[in-house]
Amino acid sequence: MSIKPARTRFAPSPTGHLHLGGARTALYAYLLAKKTGGQFILRIEDTDTKRTVPGAEQEIMDGLRWLGLEYDEGPDLGGQHGPYRQTERREIYQRHAKILVERGHAYPCFCTPDQLEKVRQEQMKRKENPHYDGTCRNLAPDETAKRIADGEPHTIRFKIPHDGVTVAHDHLRGDIVTENKQLNDQVILKTDGLPTYHLAAMVDDHEMQITHVMRGSEWLGTFPLHVNIVRAFGWDEPTWIHLSVFLKPSGKGKMSKREAAAAMKDGYSIFIKDMQELGFTPEGVMNWCALMGWGVAEDDVMTVGQMIDRFSIDSLTPSPAAINFQKLDHFNATHIRLFTTEDLAARIKPYFTREGLLVKDDVLLKIIPLIRERLTTLDDCISFGAFFFKEDVTPNSEDLIAKGLDARQSADIARRVYQILEAQPDISHERCEPLLRAYVEESGLNVNQVFGILRVAITGQKVSPPLFESMEIIGRDVCLRRVQNAIGILEKL
Ligand code: GLU
């Protein structure tokens, strides 16, 4: 069976950071488009101008590109169905609102915010759900015409049929049946002439020939309104897919701002830009994200390319997914192990540079095999590798004292180790490790005591990549200087 190319879109509002939910919606939309040989479109839904945040649009575009979700059409790329920013499509929405009014599916509404508020208060008093009371629904056509001619500010509301039911079909949830009397005549064009989401998104999805609408399940509430609007125009409906919600890590309740702040304290975030800074990789983030809502095995390791091969909208699931940051660590670490040495070197270099360290590329390539297995996030390279690029390290004096020994005894050991190393023309690990092991043997000390002092002297820390391999990379002169420095510290204690 030949598959029809899908046109999908990611349609964020530029009101804040690109977050996990958005990234997952974008990913699934991207996968479907690529799987079917179609197109993935970025549309910026900026009609709620009061909520627009400067820089948010750029962050969305940068975030998508960082994640590897290159869009085929979008505000900065153009395309056949542009413009791709809704504030630049004003005239298109006004034309469509007019069509609905002419066909009797919508009407001008002159109610002021104060009047609407009063109605709302009264409905609340009567314990009714707030809804538009229909004041302007049946105004006589000449009255409407006159008030418009007089320049009275007005919105346009969609006229929901009073009787019957609306059956809206979601690909994951089946038919959703709503009694029309539960629905509200919502504003589709505001007094400033800009549309609300309900009109703008329906018009754009049609005009941009979107075949599959994937969006968050927060839109399920207005979904019946949306299908009514599409049907009022007489358009074919796209396949509607409302994705699952994310729950907080405990699984109890939706992810909130407070949870997000708590996650940040533990070195995690739900915002893509933070994830990048925290050292997560696009591969790790996408793999993690993909599995929250897609019914493949929970531990499948996949790149976006491999996901394209396996993707199907039939395997998406509507069940809520609890965010599990430990899994993010797992996928991130797993992908880090799959990068080539050169690729990983290029990815971690900026984290060293960010710390003000001068990175020598040949050294960087050499340390990758030593630290790779220890990295969960890319910025872990600092704890495991900064000492390679520092002029000198500053060990904590306490750490230089070996277990069961005092400062004087530890200094004696350091001095003996210095002599052994100094006598060598080079400090390759093949040469040094046996010599120092022999010294451990004959001295009656244990390996941890001797190597512990040396490790702290050389790396400035108690945990490090393999010591002798590290020393070889650091080089004889610097190693000797660092051991000398450690002796000096011990002697002062
Ligand atoms: N602009 C809407 C939002 O950010 C998009 C919903 C949709 O994808 O249709 O929530």
Side-chain angles (χ1 to χ4, degrees):
M1 198 181 76
S2 75
I3 315 168
K4 206 168 149 261
R7 279 180 61 84
T8 61
R9 88 302 190 276
F10 177 48
S13 300
T15 52
H17 300 297
L18 176 61
H19 55 73
L20 185 60
R24 190 193 55 175
T25 305
L27 171 65
Y28 291 163
Y30 174 87
L31 293 177
L32 179 62
K34 297 299 140 184
K35 169 98 194 183
T36 57
Q39 294 85 37
F40 170 59
I41 291 137
L42 173 65
R43 180 172 78 222
I44 298 293
E45 302 207 325
D46 57 351
T47 59
D48 194 349
T49 49
K50 284 196 284 302
R51 294 184 56 221
T52 296
V53 171
E57 177 182 313
Q58 190 59 45
E59 190 183 314
I60 292 165
M61 300 194 292
D62 293 345
L64 290 176
R65 294 202 167 102
W66 180 73
L67 290 168
L69 306 177
E70 297 279 345
Y71 40 94
D72 303 297
E73 298 166 31
D76 56 340
L77 293 182
Q80 282 184 16
H81 302 272
Y84 294 91
R85 216 176 263 118
Q86 289 186 327
T87 46
E88 293 167 21
R89 300 170 63 79
R90 217 176 256 263
E91 182 279 321
I92 301 175
Y93 309 121
Q94 291 172 355
R95 184 155 40 84
H96 282 86
K98 200 160 162 245
I99 294 172
L100 289 181
V101 173
E102 281 164 7
R103 294 191 190 163
H105 289 299
Y107 56 91
C109 169
F110 302 94
C111 298
T112 63
D114 284 350
Q115 285 168 327
L116 294 169
E117 181 53 26
K118 233 164 98 197
V119 170
R120 202 180 70 93
Q121 298 287 351
E122 281 160 16
Q123 290 171 339
M124 305 262 281
K125 257 191 239 148
R126 294 198 298 271
K127 305 238 181 314
E128 288 172 15
N129 282 335
H131 60 276
Y132 181 58
D133 65 352
T135 305
C136 297
R137 184 172 162 121
N138 296 312
L139 290 182
D142 350 342
E143 181 184 346
T144 304
K146 179 167 183 315
R147 289 171 79 170
I148 291 177
D150 289 348
E152 195 173 330
H154 61 277
T155 60
I156 304 287
R157 283 185 187 271
F158 187 76
K159 196 183 237 174
I160 288 282
H162 274 160
D163 305 322
V165 294
T166 296
V167 181
H169 186 81
D170 173 86
H171 189 77
L172 308 182
R173 299 154 206 266
D175 282 349
I176 297 168
V177 184
T178 315
E179 286 194 56
N180 287 340
K181 59 172 184 275
Q182 309 289 342
L183 302 176
N184 200 2
D185 284 0
Q186 300 271 12
V187 172
I188 54 172
L189 202 70
K190 298 178 282 187
T191 41
D192 62 2
L194 277 171
T196 58
Y197 171 81
H198 313 306
L199 179 67
M202 297 313 111
V203 168
D204 288 348
D205 287 339
H206 174 72
E207 295 259 309
M208 296 178 182
Q209 297 175 14
I210 300 304
T211 57
H212 296 71
V213 169
M214 294 194 192
R215 57 183 189 177
S217 57
E218 69 269 22
W219 296 106
L220 278 169
T222 40
F223 181 28
L225 166 70
H226 299 152
V227 299
N228 272 296
I229 293 176
V230 172
R231 290 170 194 170
F233 281 113
W235 295 331
D236 286 341
E237 281 176 57
T239 299
W240 302 94
I241 301 169
H242 293 89
L243 299 169
S244 59
V245 284
F246 286 122
L247 302 179
K248 47 184 145 185
S250 64
K252 296 189 188 111
K254 279 208 222 164
M255 191 73 191
S256 66
K257 277 214 179 105
R258 214 173 45 174
E259 295 290 326
M264 196 67 192
K265 277 202 208 104
D266 296 335
Y268 299 109
S269 177
I270 56 162
F271 300 116
I272 301 304
K273 193 159 173 260
D274 293 341
M275 291 189 192
Q276 186 175 2
E277 275 162 26
L278 290 166
F280 291 102
T281 62
E283 288 81 356
V285 173
M286 287 284 82
N287 202 153
W288 176 58
C289 214
L291 303 186
M292 287 189 274
W294 176 10
V296 283
E298 280 200 0
D299 52 357
D300 278 353
V301 175
M302 295 180 278
T303 59
V304 170
Q306 290 161 334
M307 290 178 207
I308 296 175
D309 289 339
R310 294 179 58 183
F311 189 71
S312 143
I313 52 171
D314 298 335
S315 53
L316 295 179
T317 134
S319 340
I323 293 179
N324 179 338
F325 287 114
Q326 280 68 45
K327 282 207 174 150
L328 172 59
D329 280 343
H330 164 75
F331 283 114
N332 206 60
T334 306
H335 281 279
I336 284 177
R337 281 153 188 68
L338 297 172
F339 299 150
T340 63
T341 300
E342 288 72 18
D343 186 13
L344 183 54
R347 292 185 196 231
I348 61 175
K349 188 173 175 179
Y351 293 90
F352 285 122
T353 315
R354 190 169 81 175
E355 293 291 305
L357 296 164
L358 201 64
V359 176
K360 293 202 192 83
D361 289 328
D362 56 330
V363 174
L364 183 59
L365 288 173
K366 283 192 213 151
I367 72 170
I368 296 291
L370 303 191
I371 65 171
R372 182 198 289 274
E373 294 294 321
R374 293 170 164 76
L375 304 181
T376 300
T377 51
L378 293 174
D379 67 342
D380 286 344
C381 68
I382 301 301
S383 14
F384 291 110
F387 65 86
F388 286 106
F389 302 109
K390 286 186 179 159
E391 195 61 19
D392 278 310
V393 293
T394 36
N396 182 339
S397 49
E398 297 297 303
D399 295 343
L400 282 168
I401 301 173
K403 201 158 176 221
L405 305 176
D406 61 19
R408 199 182 47 79
Q409 292 164 312
S410 300
D412 287 344
I413 296 172
R415 268 191 294 270
R416 182 68 195 120
V417 167
Y418 185 89
Q419 283 169 354
I420 295 171
L421 294 177
E422 200 200 14
Q424 309 311 314
D426 71 71
I427 53 163
S428 67
H429 73 277
E430 290 95 340
R431 183 191 286 274
C432 290
E433 186 167 350
L435 288 173
L436 287 170
R437 284 192 185 276
Y439 161 58
V440 170
E441 285 281 303
E442 70 195 38
S443 64
L445 295 158
N446 71 44
V447 171
N448 291 342
Q449 290 170 318
V450 177
F451 291 5
I453 295 174
L454 185 56
R455 183 185 310 281
V456 175
I458 299 289
T459 68
Q461 56 203 52
K462 287 187 349 196
V463 181
S464 79
L467 179 59
F468 295 99
E469 279 89 340
S470 299
M471 286 170 54
E472 182 175 329
I473 295 172
I474 290 169
R476 183 175 180 275
D477 292 350
V478 176
C479 285
L480 287 175
R481 197 171 71 221
R482 290 187 184 179
V483 177
Q484 193 69 66
N485 179 37
I487 296 168
I489 295 172
L490 284 166
E491 282 174 346
K492 281 203 213 91
L493 291 179

